[in-house]
């Protein structure tokens, strides 16, 4: 352990750090940019340049099977499939093929086509919020159901009774299993929900084989790469992976967008006056509000040294994207929320070959959510901090609700 680490006396578990990790991240970036988090047994990277480089570094991999503490999930489970066939696990050639098959729907042009569907979903969830009073959990009523409904629209999968609420619940339970450091109970519920979800996907696949429609499953059913056709199993798992990657992240994004704007009323008023500023404001929200201490993981596939620290094969390296976004060498005065900033080269959606497939879609959803929120949030609306409920997910706490007082 270096002298630098010994001088840094803190715990990620302390209430102050959980409440606001940024002062600690600032210190780590300056004093110990490759920091070993003893409590959780991984390396934490905090500098923008290091994190960006790690996204394309051949000495690390996103494939969890390289982790020294890896436990193989049970045969037939979603997590086993993701670990063995997901985008991080497959060969480069296979990865390129899967991205090509899935990718067409997610280009800016593809997303523009979805724009009407996204607007319709957002407006439908925003409508009941107009004119309401009292404390409203906008996470439950607005930001969580929207990405689920959008994924349902885009893929063409829904619950058998068409209930959006049921689809959303089963989808959410499935993806909770993807968070790191979760209990066995959550994992079991995730697997049960995945089985239910996959039966819906499977039904949709067989219906679309009979008569294709304008949705992603129809595209996947017809997709051919040479002579190879995607199997039903592949499609089920791919769609579940999209659901997992695209719902919780975007729901959290919507919540962060609304709370960040409520904390910065002058920015909110400017956006009300000029909606054309929203896309740029969303970029600044993606920089300022996303990630905190946590991020995305890589696993060392060989021993190597970084800034004088010896990283061993099999160790986990957490890339703190939230810290990269607050690196003053890239974003001057990073703790200031400034909708005129238009930050470039964000790492919020990753970088390199695994760059987020849904980045354009997520941005579009966030733009629509902010636009709608500007209409339903009355002047004086504010977050009721004392009613916010937190849940610990490894290195950081995430809120499980977003109570906003629609005081009038
Ligand atoms: C604000 C919302 C979102 C954020 C912050 C986000 C962030 C990310 C990040 C950081 C990665 C790279 C992970 C890594 O390299 O370790 C990623 C990958 C991915 N994302 Fe997103 N994402 C969001 C929304 C979405 C949506 C809406 C979809 C699709 C509907 C999606 C689909 C994917 C997929 C499929 C990958 C894996 C790509 C690959 O491995 O080639 N994401 N996302």
């Amino acid at each position: 352990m270096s002298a630098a680490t010994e001088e840094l006396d803190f715990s990620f578990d302390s209430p102050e750090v959980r409440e606001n990790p940024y002062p600690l991240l600032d210190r780590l970036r300056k004093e110990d940019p490759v920091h070993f988090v003893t409590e959780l047994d991984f390396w934490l990277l905090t500098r923008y340049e290091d994190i960006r480089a790690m996204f394309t570094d051949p000495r690390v991999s996103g494939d969890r099977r390289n982790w020294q503490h890896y436990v193989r999930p049970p045969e037939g489970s979603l997590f086993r499939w993701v670990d063995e066939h997901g985008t991080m696990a497959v060969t480069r050639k296979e990865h390129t093929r899967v991205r090509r098959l899935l990718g067409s729907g997610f280009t800016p042009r593809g997303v523009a086509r979805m724009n009407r569907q996204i607007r319709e979903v957002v407006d439908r969830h925003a409508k009941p919020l107009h004119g309401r009073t009292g404390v409203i959990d906008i996470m439950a009523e607005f930001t969580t159901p929207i990405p689920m409904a959008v994924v349902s629209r885009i893929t063409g999968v829904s619950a058998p009774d068409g209930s959006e609420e049921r689809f959303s619940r089963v989808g959410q339970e499935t993806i909770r299993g993807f968070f790191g450091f979760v209990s066995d109970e959550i994992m079991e519920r995730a697997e049960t929900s995945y089985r239910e979800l996959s039966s819906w996907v499977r039904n949709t696949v067989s219906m679309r084989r009979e008569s294709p429609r304008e949705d992603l499953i129809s595209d996947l059913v017809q997709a051919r790469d040479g002579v190879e056709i995607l199997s039903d199993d592949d499609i089920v798992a791919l769609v579940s992976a999209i659901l997992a990657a695209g719902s919780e992240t975007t729901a959290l994004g919507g919540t962060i967008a609304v709370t960040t704007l409520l904390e910065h009323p002058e920015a909110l008023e400017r956006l009300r006056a000029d909606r054309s500023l929203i896309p740029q404001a969303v970029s600044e929200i993606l920089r300022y509000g996303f990630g905190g201490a946590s991020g995305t993981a890589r696993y060392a596939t060989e021993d190597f040294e970084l800034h004088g620290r010896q990283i061993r094969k099999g160790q986990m390296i957490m890339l703190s994207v939230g810290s990269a976004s607050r690196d003053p060498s890239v974003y001057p005065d990073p703790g200031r929320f400034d909708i005129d900033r238009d930050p470039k080269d964000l790492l919020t959606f990753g970088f390199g070959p695994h760059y987020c497939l849904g980045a354009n879609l997520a941005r579009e959803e966030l733009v629509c959510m902010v636009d709608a929120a500007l209409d339903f949030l009355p002047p004086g609306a504010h977050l009721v901090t004392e009613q916010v409920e937190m849940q610990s997910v490894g290195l950081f706490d995430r809120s499980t609700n977003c109570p906003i007082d629609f005081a009038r």
Side-chain angles (χ1 to χ4, degrees), residues 55 60-66 81-92 94-95 98-99 241 296-299 301 319 349-356:
F55 275 116
V60 300
S61 161
D63 184 342
R64 278 178 3 113
R65 293 172 299 174
N66 292 298
W81 188 93
V82 170
D83 287 354
E84 291 176 2
H85 304 278
T87 54
M88 292 295 181
V90 292
T91 60
R92 187 186 292 207
E94 181 62 12
H95 182 230
V98 168
R99 288 210 48 133
T296 185
R298 290 295 184 268
Y299 309 91
T301 52
L319 313 182
F349 291 113
F351 180 71
H354 294 283
Y355 181 76
C356 177

Side-chain angles (χ1 to χ4, degrees), residues 34 43 45 50-67 87-90 92 296-306 309-319 351 353-354:
V34 183
W43 294 99
L45 264 57
D50 292 338
I51 292 172
R52 185 172 143 128
M54 230 3 85
F55 275 116
T56 52
D57 194 315
R59 299 168 300 180
V60 300
S61 161
D63 184 342
R64 278 178 3 113
R65 293 172 299 174
N66 292 298
W67 187 25
T87 54
M88 292 295 181
V90 292
R92 187 186 292 207
T296 185
R298 290 295 184 268
Y299 309 91
T301 52
E302 57 184 271
D303 293 353
F304 64 95
E305 205 184 292
L306 192 62
R309 299 312 209 92
Q310 188 58 52
I311 296 177
R312 300 262 170 237
K313 180 177 174 181
Q315 286 187 314
M316 183 194 280
I317 305 159
M318 185 63 81
L319 313 182
F351 180 71
H354 294 283

Side-chain angles (χ1 to χ4, degrees), residues 320-355:
S320 174
V321 172
S323 171
S325 296
R326 298 279 188 121
D327 189 329
S329 69
V330 183
Y331 306 108
D333 196 4
R336 193 162 59 87
F337 179 68
D338 175 6
I339 59 169
D340 294 317
R341 187 190 295 265
D342 199 12
K344 301 287 183 225
D345 304 320
L346 287 173
L347 297 179
T348 316
F349 291 113
F351 180 71
H354 294 283
Y355 181 76

